[in-house]
Amino acid sequence: MTARYLLISLARVLLIAVILFICLAMAMTIGMTLAHVGYPGTCQDGACELIAEIYIMPLGGVGLFILTLVGWAIVTARRCQ
């Protein structure tokens, strides 16, 4: 019985890690798209891509991750009622 619960817990951890990876990848894609469009300013010697990698990807990715987990919690709470 405990092995079953261990496998369920490992599956949940894997699912959360995959969600985090997808959120970071989406934020990186959005940041690089904004950099190539010219949103952060002039793109001399790759500085705008560096802004996307240093600021937009971590902050945007973690923000998307938190929103995803909050949305997941709300859907789960409404389904269990």
Side-chain angles (χ1 to χ4, degrees):
M1 197 57 104
T2 58
R4 178 177 171 231
Y5 293 124
L6 180 64
L7 287 175
I8 290 171
S9 296
L10 289 175
R12 286 179 181 165
V13 167
L14 183 64
L15 178 65
I16 290 173
V18 167
I19 291 171
L20 176 62
F21 176 77
I22 290 171
C23 289
L24 290 173
M26 284 176 51
M28 185 68 173
T29 303
I30 292 168
M32 289 305 239
T33 303
L34 290 175
H36 287 286
V37 170
Y39 180 73
T42 60
C43 191
Q44 298 174 350
D45 65 14
C48 59
E49 280 116 6
L50 189 62
I51 290 171
E53 293 169 1
I54 292 176
Y55 296 112
I56 297 174
M57 192 269 291
L59 297 175
V62 171
L64 283 172
F65 181 65
I66 290 171
L67 285 175
T68 302
L69 291 182
V70 167
W72 188 13
I74 290 171
V75 168
T76 303
R78 286 186 181 171
R79 193 172 4 146
C80 290
Q81 289 180 353

